[in-house]
Amino acid sequence: GTQQQTSKSPRRTLVWTIPLLAVILLAGTAWFVIANRNSGPPLRISEYTQLTHNSHAGRVVGTDGSRLYLQTDNVLSLSQVSVTGGEIEPFSSINLTRPQVLDVSPDGSTFLVLSLEKGLSALAPLYTVQVVGGSHRYLVDAAYATWSPDGKLVAYSTSNGDLNTVNEDGSGAHKLASVGGFTYDLSWSPDGRTIRFTRGDFFGSLWEITSAGSNLHQLLATWHPSWGKCCGRWSPDGGFFVFLAGPLESEAKLYALDERRGPFQRPVKDPVLLTPGPINWDAAVFSRDGKKIFATGSTRRGELVRLDPKSNQFQPFLGGISAEMVGFSNDGKSVAYVTYPDGVLWRANRDGSDRVQLTSQPLKPVDPAWSPDGTKIIFTSPSTQGWHAWIVPSRGGSPQRLLPNDSEQETDPSWSPDGRKIIFATGGGGDSESSIRILDLVSRQVTTLAASSDMYSPRWSPDGQFIEADSTDATTIFVFDIKAQRWSTLFSKSPFAWVTWASDSRNIYFLTTGNDPAILRTSVAGGEARVVVDLKDFPFTGTVGFWFGLDPIGAPLLLRDASTTDVYALTLEQK
């Protein structure tokens, strides 16, 4: 009996030893995997390959696996280039007015395209367009859209803050949820469960919701809360989410959020930087195999130019500095401008000497305006809380909020000619709830200008008799006669921007931004708008893509593009 018991003992030991060794091996493997994954970034760029070399490439909007499709926003043209690089070729099969390509279907056969035939409106007709042949089908009116991972549905946003879906044939439009605010750059997760999007202007913030319309919440709300974050895309396997982020005044960088989950995967809380360096990046598009991302990188710079009245040619102004939103004091002796692309407000003598820096981060001044006495400059600046007006002494000092307790937005502020009032709007282009407000600087009372609903960007005429304002879809110019207390329509034909009063208060100048860009002039008394200068071949740039102003004698000022922009393939290496 003792011998039999002894012979069983090694066998029993072996039975216990094998599982124990397996547990030890499994624990060692887990430790190695976790230690290895946490020894460095989960994703990095191992190689940069420049695919284009013309310095004027559009941004990458999609790929069918063999070609990249590039959109040039200023003229809304589409081009293509091989995923391995080469010459950029035009793509002209989209027979729609001012097409803006938003996405390419998962099988690479069909575009999602907005037709911006009405200009910079928040809503535009959305079509599916076949890549081969160009046949198109109307779906809905939308602000932005993206394909579902199976290509059977389209998620789209509207101007009133709704997120909807519609079938690929245009049937079955269905509201998912009200997400609030202007929503764009939608991206559907590869597993079909989640939709992420950007909300707000100037980068904005990242949000997500389930594809069933529940659990709406902000993504990365506590990670660099003052930064702008936008334009995210998932890797094909759903393991990473790559997006743009950065301080509002700096270059946009690509970041990656590790979405992988598993038994040995410790969740990575914060995104990792993919693209250090001075290049400004646009939104990235993943290759079909997920091993690369394609993105447009640029070194942004402009050249300030003035239309010389004698030669009728554009010549460098203020030494051709990279600046926009130029404004002059009433006596014409001082100038204020915002440098591009860093967005800093400066004041200088008219010849550019005696420069004084007036703002620094996180403020990003837009459309500065001088007080009539030349002692102050007012401007608006975006933040994650919206747009607000600020005032800074023209000789330097600390900028202060115009209305520190105001919960509404304040955009495009400027003074009345007597310096007693400030006029501003409560929204911007595409904001249907915008109206015109007037602040009395003595009583501090704010009143709403009569019948100004759906208007923005107000400007008082130099003589104080009129107020100009734009429709929120940037297609109509209105003028309010203060004495008669009534509005009249001056222009309503094509999209425009940067409306500016002539010094005589009898004419208005503006920049048209459609297929035939030009500087136009129209009389307050009415009549046809006349072309001052044709800008069809002018290379625009600026914070919003273009800018226009006038010098004290009424000569047009523009910011000419001196940037270099090309497409890159960024090879990914993950742990």
Side-chain angles (χ1 to χ4, degrees), residues 164-183:
N164 303 340
T165 61
V166 65
N167 293 328
E168 61 175 331
D169 62 1
S171 65
H174 171 70
K175 178 180 174 180
L176 291 182
S178 293
V179 298
F182 180 60
T183 298

Side-chain angles (χ1 to χ4, degrees), residues 290-472:
K291 295 180 180 180
K292 295 180 180 180
I293 53 177
F294 303 105
T296 301
S298 62
T299 303
R300 295 182 294 169
R301 190 189 183 281
E303 180 189 33
L304 182 62
V305 294
R306 171 181 179 268
L307 185 65
D308 181 69
K310 295 180 180 179
S311 66
N312 205 36
Q313 299 293 316
F314 283 103
Q315 303 292 339
F317 187 65
L318 293 179
I321 60 173
S322 185
E324 59 181 338
M325 306 179 200
V326 181
F328 296 85
S329 58
N330 276 1
D331 61 12
K333 296 180 179 180
S334 300
V335 61
Y337 55 84
V338 178
T339 51
Y340 173 80
D342 51 331
V344 175
L345 177 62
W346 294 79
R347 185 220 39 97
N349 293 334
R350 182 173 173 172
D351 62 2
S353 63
D354 191 26
R355 293 199 316 159
V356 177
Q357 182 175 337
L358 300 181
T359 63
S360 57
Q361 60 176 330
L363 292 177
K364 192 175 180 69
V366 175
D367 214 10
W370 287 84
S371 63
D373 63 7
T375 63
K376 302 180 185 69
I377 295 174
I378 193 170
F379 60 90
T380 189
S381 178
S383 72
T384 54
Q385 286 76 45
W387 291 76
H388 297 292
W390 295 75
I391 294 179
V392 63
S394 60
R395 286 290 173 180
S398 177
Q400 302 294 325
R401 278 277 308 273
L402 173 66
L403 297 170
N405 298 319
D406 189 14
S407 60
E408 288 190 307
Q409 298 199 98
E410 307 128 19
T411 62
D412 302 298
S414 61
W415 267 273
S416 61
D418 60 12
R420 297 177 181 178
K421 298 176 181 179
I422 288 176
I423 193 167
F424 62 92
T426 61
D431 188 341
S432 60
E433 297 181 358
S434 179
S435 59
I436 308 301
R437 304 289 168 86
I438 298 176
L439 167 67
D440 187 304
L441 292 173
V442 176
S443 68
R444 304 300 295 181
Q445 295 297 308
V446 177
T447 57
T448 300
L449 189 61
S452 65
S453 179
D454 298 340
M455 297 183 189
Y456 82 113
S457 195
R459 287 291 179 270
W460 231 300
S461 64
D463 64 7
Q465 296 182 23
F466 304 98
I467 293 172
E468 180 277 331
D470 308 341
S471 63
T472 52

Side-chain angles (χ1 to χ4, degrees), residues 71 75-78 94 96-101 113-116:
Q71 177 88 52
V75 295
L76 290 173
S77 65
L78 189 68
I94 300 179
L96 295 172
T97 303
R98 305 189 75 230
Q100 183 181 44
V101 176
V113 183
L114 286 177
S115 177
L116 301 182

Side-chain angles (χ1 to χ4, degrees), residues 41 54 126 131 157 166 197-198 210 256 300 304 306 320 324 343 357 361 393 396 407 446 489 497 511 525 528 553 560:
N54 74 345
L126 176 68
V131 173
S157 59
V166 65
F197 54 89
T198 307
T210 69
R300 295 182 294 169
L304 182 62
R306 171 181 179 268
E324 59 181 338
Q357 182 175 337
Q361 60 176 330
S407 60
V446 177
T489 300
L511 175 68
E528 287 294 317
I553 67 168
R560 180 157 49 198

Side-chain angles (χ1 to χ4, degrees), residues 194-242:
T194 306
I195 298 173
R196 287 179 178 167
F197 54 89
T198 307
R199 197 172 82 180
D201 298 327
F202 268 63
F203 264 10
S205 53
L206 290 169
W207 291 72
E208 73 173 18
I209 192 171
T210 69
S211 55
S214 62
N215 194 26
L216 172 68
H217 64 278
Q218 188 174 349
L219 189 68
L220 300 171
T222 60
W223 179 75
H224 294 293
S226 65
W227 283 17
K229 310 174 187 79
C230 83
C231 320
R233 296 290 184 273
W234 266 281
S235 60
D237 63 1
F240 290 92
F241 185 73
V242 173

Side-chain angles (χ1 to χ4, degrees), residues 139-153:
L139 296 183
V140 291
D141 283 1
Y144 202 90
T146 191
W147 288 102
S148 64
D150 61 6
K152 295 180 179 179
L153 290 173

